[in-house]
């Protein structure tokens, strides 16, 4: 397969290689429409940004090098050069430190506002980031806070999906970037994930082992990369099952619901009503536990039992899933650990700026309860 280069993109669009380079690096001097055309073509062709060459000259960092945890100075210690103390006992996410306190190096957190108080998943990821920051002697601030500006931070952690233009802008900074649960082929960054493919395969395999043959995946690909990966995991599992057991007549359908909007539960009700008694699948894999619990409630309202005749498996293992009616079979995915591993990846990048990029994937575990 021919390697996709900047010249390839330039030839397709009828522009110069210089224009493509400026667009991919986010530099000024070209129009916004041209920049977007270049980015879209790069993604379509599968262009990947080049890694930094080993031994290349590092950009100067906007903060002092970070020592290992074993050699961290105590809060308030003065560095040998007489500079401002490197670490301080500043509270995490608690506003500005006192003027009498020295400032700790700060990790900036780029996250959508609605994720900050979302209790099931992202707030717990934030708690994991906070605990790991305290352990390493760092402060933590949201990127839109005055004290958390990415331009002056020691590093940046991106939580979930953000617009490509914003990711590229962060990628141009001198500070390293680590991304949680999201990826972009044009962005050079370490990433930390839950194994969404494995999670969906566990869920789908469990339903098949329980005798389900009319399966449906319920989710919305556009909501998150993780939702799309979970659909792929279900599809791979169902395809493998049909190849090895063609006589069983396994069928997998996709129910796309507008998750993230206020009417997704109403959409579920319409899908169940339109399916009718004979058309309702006997096994559902839901993209997350919230969708699964809403589906269980919808089926109950329609007089369709769970787990008989319909079994439901969610993904995430959020706290309310154990108390659902019936208790939800689900797949456990890391939350606090996901945030902590992102901090560890950032520390590694600070210590080894030219190391190969990492994609850290945390495993999944099936939790069997009454719904499936």
């Amino acid at each position: 397969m021919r390697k996709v280069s900047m010249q390839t993109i330039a030839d397709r669009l009828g522009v110069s290689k210089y224009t493509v380079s400026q667009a991919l690096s986010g530099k000024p001097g070209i129009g916004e429409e041209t920049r977007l055309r270049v980015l879209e073509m790069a993604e379509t062709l599968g262009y990947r940004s080049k890694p930094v060459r080993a031994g290349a000259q590092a950009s100067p960092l906007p903060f002092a090098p970070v020592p290992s945890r074993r050699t961290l100075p105590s809060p308030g210690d003065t560095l040998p050069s007489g500079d401002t103390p490197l670490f301080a006992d500043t509270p995490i996410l608690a506003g500005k430190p006192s003027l009498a306190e020295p400032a700790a190096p700060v990790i900036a957190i780029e996250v959508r506002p609605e994720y900050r108080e979302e209790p099931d998943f992202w707030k717990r990821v934030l708690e994991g980031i906070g605990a790991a920051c305290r352990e390493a002697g760092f402060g933590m601030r949201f990127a839109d806070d005055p004290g958390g500006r990415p331009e002056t931070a020691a590093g940046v952690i991106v939580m979930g999906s953000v617009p490509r233009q914003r990711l590229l802008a962060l990628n141009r900074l001198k500070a390293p970037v680590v991304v949680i649960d999201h990826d972009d082929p044009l962005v050079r960054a370490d990433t930390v994930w839950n194994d969404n493919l494995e999670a969906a395969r566990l869920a789908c395999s469990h339903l098949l082992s329980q005798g389900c043959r009319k399966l449906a995946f319920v989710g919305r690909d556009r909501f998150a990369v993780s939702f799309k990966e979970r659909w792929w995991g279900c599809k791979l599992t169902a395809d493998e099952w049909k190849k090895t057991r063609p006589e069983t007549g396994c069928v997998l359908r996709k129910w796309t619901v507008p998750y993230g909007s206020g009417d997704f539960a109403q959409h579920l009700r319409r899908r169940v009503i339109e399916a009718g008694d004979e058309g309702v699948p006997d096994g559902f894999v839901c993209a997350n536990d919230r969708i699964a619990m809403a589906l269980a409630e919808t089926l109950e309202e329609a007089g369709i039992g769970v787990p008989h005749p319909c079994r439901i498996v969610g993904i995430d293992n959020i706290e309310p899933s154990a108390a659902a009616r019936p208790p939800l079979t689900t797949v456990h995915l890391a939350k606090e650990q996901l945030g902590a591993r992102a901090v560890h990846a950032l520390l590694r990048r600070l210590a080894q700026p030219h190391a190969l990029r990492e994609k850290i994937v945390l495993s999944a575990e099936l939790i069997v309860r009454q719904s499936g």
Side-chain angles (χ1 to χ4, degrees):
M1 183 175 179
R2 184 183 174 188
K3 181 180 178 181
V4 177
S5 65
M6 289 188 189
Q7 189 63 56
T8 308
I9 299 169
D11 292 343
R12 289 291 186 97
L13 293 174
V15 299
S16 68
K17 182 179 177 181
Y18 172 81
T19 297
V20 174
S21 175
Q22 294 295 99
L24 294 178
S25 62
K27 294 178 180 177
I30 62 172
E32 192 62 25
E33 183 179 347
T34 301
R35 188 188 306 279
L36 291 176
R37 287 175 58 219
V38 171
L39 293 175
E40 289 172 2
M41 182 59 70
E43 182 174 26
T44 300
L45 296 177
Y47 175 80
R48 290 271 176 178
S49 57
K50 293 182 180 180
V52 178
R53 289 180 291 106
Q57 182 64 36
S59 300
L61 298 177
F63 52 89
V66 179
S68 69
R69 180 66 185 168
R70 293 185 181 88
T71 60
L72 291 180
S74 300
D77 284 355
T78 301
L79 299 180
S81 63
D83 292 337
T84 303
L86 183 59
F87 296 98
D89 212 3
T90 52
I92 302 297
L93 293 176
K96 297 179 180 179
S98 164
L99 292 177
E101 294 177 338
V106 169
I107 292 176
I109 309 300
E110 180 76 23
V111 57
R112 289 157 54 176
E114 60 267 30
Y115 285 177
R116 298 183 189 184
E117 296 302 325
E118 186 276 315
D120 297 332
F121 188 83
W122 288 112
K123 191 172 183 180
R124 293 178 61 183
V125 174
L126 268 173
E127 291 171 357
I129 293 174
C133 282
R134 288 191 292 272
E135 174 67 19
F138 282 80
M140 182 178 89
R141 298 286 185 273
F142 291 123
D144 55 3
D145 289 344
R149 294 175 61 245
E151 293 82 359
T152 58
V156 181
I157 293 177
V158 178
M159 294 176 52
S161 60
V162 300
R164 168 172 286 171
Q165 288 290 79
R166 178 59 176 165
L167 268 179
L168 290 171
L170 292 172
N171 211 208
R172 294 196 302 270
L173 300 176
K174 296 174 181 176
V177 177
V178 173
V179 182
I180 299 175
D181 200 41
H182 185 66
D183 192 19
D184 190 300
L186 303 182
V187 174
R188 297 186 301 273
D190 297 308
T191 57
V192 184
W193 298 81
N194 279 309
D195 196 335
N196 295 297
L197 278 172
E198 180 191 20
R201 290 175 74 93
L202 287 171
C204 193
S205 296
H206 175 71
L207 290 175
L208 289 167
S209 72
Q210 297 301 305
C212 298
R213 295 296 179 266
K214 293 167 57 179
L215 305 178
F217 176 85
V218 188
R220 179 190 179 198
D221 284 0
R222 291 175 58 189
F223 182 77
V225 174
S226 59
F227 277 30
K228 185 181 295 186
E229 289 187 335
R230 292 168 191 182
W231 158 245
W232 290 340
C234 281
K235 191 173 187 311
L236 286 169
T237 304
D239 288 347
E240 290 171 1
W241 182 277
K242 285 185 283 188
K243 287 180 181 178
T244 57
R245 304 171 181 82
E247 72 283 356
T248 59
C250 171
V251 175
L252 173 66
R253 294 187 175 88
K254 190 177 190 180
W255 283 20
T256 298
V257 297
Y259 183 73
S261 66
D263 64 346
F264 96 90
Q266 295 178 4
H267 189 93
L268 272 178
R269 293 187 187 97
R270 288 197 298 270
R271 290 299 301 262
V272 170
I273 292 170
E274 291 168 1
D277 292 341
E278 294 184 0
V280 175
D282 57 5
F284 290 93
V285 176
C286 296
N288 69 10
D289 288 348
R290 286 292 174 188
I291 296 174
M293 291 187 290
L295 177 61
E297 183 177 340
T298 299
L299 291 173
E300 183 181 4
E301 291 173 356
I304 301 172
V306 177
H308 303 291
C310 295
R311 296 178 180 271
I312 300 176
V313 180
I315 297 176
D316 279 342
N317 191 31
I318 63 176
E319 290 185 5
S321 65
R325 293 176 49 192
L328 184 66
T329 295
T330 185
V331 179
H332 177 77
L333 294 178
K335 300 165 190 70
E336 291 87 354
Q337 187 183 8
L338 197 68
R341 290 300 295 272
V343 176
H344 299 162
L346 197 59
L347 295 177
R348 170 186 174 273
R349 180 58 56 191
L350 288 168
Q352 304 176 47
H354 304 303
L356 290 175
R357 277 177 279 167
E358 285 190 335
K359 181 175 183 178
I360 300 168
V361 182
L362 305 183
S363 192
E365 178 184 2
L366 181 69
I367 308 295
V368 178
R369 301 190 183 111
Q370 295 176 22
S371 74

